[in-house]
Amino acid sequence: MDKADFIHLVRLSEHASAENSGAYRRSLARFAALGYLWVVLCFVLAIVLLVMSGKALLQGPVKGYWVMLLLSGVGLLWSSVRALWLRLEAPEGSPLTPADAPLLFEALERIRKKTQGPPIHHVLLDSSFNASISQLPRFGLLGGATNYLTIGLPLLLALDRPRFLAVMAHEYGHLRGGHGQFAAWIYRTRMSWTKLYESMEEDAGLMAHATQTFLRWYFPRFMAKTFALARQDEYEADRIACKLLGRDVTGAALAEIAVKGAWLGREFWPLHWASAGRSLQPMGPFSAMRVLLTQPVRDDFARDALRQSLKEMSNLDDTHPVLRDRLEAMGARKELPQWSAKPAIDLLGASANTWLQRMDQQWCRDNASDWKLHHAYLRRVEERVQALQASLLRNNADELAQLGDLKRRLNATADVRDCYARALQLAPNHPGALRGMVRTLPDTDVAGRLDGLNRLVEVHAASTWWAASTAVQMLEPLVAAGQPYDPLLKQWRARLKQADEAEQRAWNEMVDTPYFQSITRHDLNDFETGELQADLARCKPLRRAWLVRKNLQEFAYRRCYILFVELPGLPDGERYALCRSLERSLDLPGPVLVLWAGTDPTLHDIQKNTFDVTFARSVA
């Protein structure tokens, strides 16, 4: 099923659910039963084949077709048994017991009684800024489920008790009685089919092929048909939370989670990892988080984070609706809340400090290797900064712009405007220096920033998208506040639209032209090459990599790259996800397309056409 058909089927399911919820659920039950029926029929057919072929081979001469039937029966039996008794991995986390946190378990029991839900068999504590409920089938597609509640320690540190309990009520709402049981069953079935589809993707053989053929037809249709129910279940869980804790408390919890989640990602974690430059030994984050998350979020950051969250649109990549849709559905105000002053970690009682220390120690163990790599990275940046400063009077514009960029990597608040100003004295149209200068100007200097962005667009077409998106992000809140920038905002939005189209054409050229056409050796300097190799070293499945520069007609002077990687032992689905992740995370001076060695391109083609190996993992 292609994406357009998937979207169409989701929309049909949404309309069917809105028109007649009961009929929609009955149709889902019938379609889910079709999957169960297929598995049972395969199991029965496998037994028949085994009995027939086994009797024939035992009672008469060995004939080839009976052997083939026997092997087919074994393969079909194996496929059906895997489907019927597929085991899913339990969520990770440290188990919490009533003895560890009696107040928490008392609160959960009160919520369970009010929602008339089933018991939670396991409560886990992890390091995520999240909470989730999981129902794991005990016997694959067959009945029975074990309930897991996973609570992120940062969530306990960020929210007060009522708002945290609103989150717990939302999660428990997924297990409520009546219609909730049907939704939970569909949810478990979605998980089981997803796991089965992924686990059988690489299987070979006639029976495996037959199973994969059915799954390729059934699985996307089942996911599309059940999408509307899964999204409705999120709204219903919110309704339960509003009923138990109140609409205002639940809405405030969602807004506070959105803002503090953005703060953790954009400010706390970068600062925490920056401390690797001072210490080779990792430092636990949660003790510091306990103090910082109880402090009010800076007003300008909070307003921007909430505004960005409210701009998001619900899509078909996630059954969870976005913040705006959830707040509108519950009738809550779309505004910044009063910040939680007393964190809900007191629900852990006397063991709260013990859990903080334990989670800090666990985080240090889990991140020891990455911390050492980041320490080495920061040391290399410091050495490069020292080298550039030592030759400051001889540096060219590229080196001066790089000096400013590297200083800001070490300290995001460093005053590096002089570096970019010197670079612009040597090369008035240097794009890197213009970008750097715009970043360093204060937010209040709207005219100065717009002037720099206009210059950047005029002298460097490949920077138009960055300049336009920066301008739109800067002007939108000013217009929303009533300032007279509407004409400029329209102008920059038009530029952004044109730039989006140009970027898409450039990307299509990267993807659609033959991989080895119009390529040259990469143009990274020694420092940039070392940074790329350090980034690739963190990607554990990657064995070797080859980087080339791709010359595009759309942007003739832009630095664009293709990175070919060798990922042995991974299924294609994981290879695809890893390559897309590398495209987003690699710090290169231009866009990069990441391709793995497989059937197209093959490892032989890559070795023949890509000059030298850029990275090779040493084998102990």
Side-chain angles (χ1 to χ4, degrees), residues 178-196:
H179 282 182
Q181 293 181 355
F182 178 77
W185 172 66
I186 289 294
Y187 170 77
R188 295 196 306 271
T189 307
R190 283 171 64 96
M191 289 183 60
S192 297
W193 282 117
T194 301
K195 184 68 174 179
L196 181 63

Side-chain angles (χ1 to χ4, degrees), residues 186-239:
I186 289 294
Y187 170 77
R188 295 196 306 271
T189 307
R190 283 171 64 96
M191 289 183 60
S192 297
W193 282 117
T194 301
K195 184 68 174 179
L196 181 63
Y197 182 79
E198 293 172 350
S199 66
M200 299 196 68
E201 200 172 9
E202 300 295 321
D203 286 4
L206 180 61
M207 290 299 104
H209 178 72
T211 302
Q212 291 162 358
T213 300
F214 174 80
L215 286 175
R216 279 193 291 270
W217 176 84
Y218 181 80
F219 174 72
R221 286 164 177 79
F222 180 80
M223 299 300 283
K225 286 177 176 290
T226 57
F227 188 93
L229 178 67
R231 180 161 287 178
Q232 285 174 2
D233 192 55
E234 294 296 331
Y235 288 120
E236 183 63 20
D238 279 343
R239 190 187 68 79

Side-chain angles (χ1 to χ4, degrees), residues 32-231:
L34 175 63
Y36 284 87
L37 179 62
W38 170 80
V39 174
V40 171
L41 288 176
C42 286
F43 182 79
V44 172
L45 179 58
I47 297 298
V48 171
L49 290 176
L50 289 174
V51 171
M52 289 176 55
S53 57
K55 288 177 64 176
L57 290 172
L58 289 174
Q59 294 175 0
V62 175
K63 295 185 178 181
Y65 60 84
W66 287 119
V67 174
M68 291 297 296
L69 283 178
L70 179 66
L71 294 176
S72 298
V74 170
L76 193 58
L77 181 65
W78 172 240
S79 298
S80 55
V81 167
R82 282 175 67 180
L84 289 170
W85 283 278
L86 183 70
R87 300 300 298 271
L88 301 177
E89 295 181 3
E92 296 182 354
S94 302
L96 279 172
T97 66
D100 294 324
L103 293 176
L104 173 64
F105 279 82
E106 289 172 8
L108 293 177
E109 179 60 18
R110 289 195 299 270
I111 293 173
R112 186 195 70 79
K113 289 180 178 179
K114 291 180 180 179
T115 58
Q116 299 180 346
I120 293 177
H121 303 101
H122 302 280
V123 178
L124 307 175
L125 190 68
D126 72 2
S127 60
S128 67
F129 187 62
N130 193 20
S132 62
I133 203 88
S134 304
Q135 278 201 319
L136 266 62
R138 291 195 181 100
F139 311 109
L141 292 177
L142 299 179
T146 302
N147 299 322
Y148 290 83
L149 173 64
T150 305
I151 301 171
L153 179 61
L155 202 65
L156 283 165
L157 298 172
L159 301 180
D160 60 24
R161 187 183 295 195
R163 294 178 187 178
F164 173 77
L165 293 180
V167 176
M168 294 298 99
H170 170 93
E171 297 304 328
Y172 232 127
H174 292 300
L175 303 180
R176 65 196 180 279
H179 282 182
Q181 293 181 355
F182 178 77
W185 172 66
I186 289 294
Y187 170 77
R188 295 196 306 271
T189 307
R190 283 171 64 96
M191 289 183 60
S192 297
W193 282 117
T194 301
K195 184 68 174 179
L196 181 63
Y197 182 79
E198 293 172 350
S199 66
M200 299 196 68
E201 200 172 9
E202 300 295 321
D203 286 4
L206 180 61
M207 290 299 104
H209 178 72
T211 302
Q212 291 162 358
T213 300
F214 174 80
L215 286 175
R216 279 193 291 270
W217 176 84
Y218 181 80
F219 174 72
R221 286 164 177 79
F222 180 80
M223 299 300 283
K225 286 177 176 290
T226 57
F227 188 93
L229 178 67
R231 180 161 287 178

Side-chain angles (χ1 to χ4, degrees), residues 473-495:
Q473 290 176 13
M474 176 177 63
L475 293 173
E476 281 183 340
L478 298 178
V479 171
Q483 297 191 37
Y485 290 105
D486 298 77
L488 283 175
L489 179 57
K490 290 179 182 178
Q491 177 186 347
W492 280 106
R493 280 176 171 167
R495 282 179 172 176

Side-chain angles (χ1 to χ4, degrees), residues 347-367:
L347 288 169
L348 298 183
S351 65
N353 290 332
T354 302
W355 277 109
L356 276 170
Q357 295 173 5
R358 190 181 302 177
M359 297 295 284
D360 272 337
Q361 292 168 359
Q362 184 63 50
W363 190 94
C364 290
R365 287 192 295 269
D366 292 343
N367 293 275

Side-chain angles (χ1 to χ4, degrees), residues 436-453:
M437 184 63 77
V438 169
R439 291 192 187 102
T440 59
L441 292 175
D443 293 342
T444 53
D445 189 0
V446 177
R449 299 186 75 195
L450 288 176
D451 179 65
L453 294 173

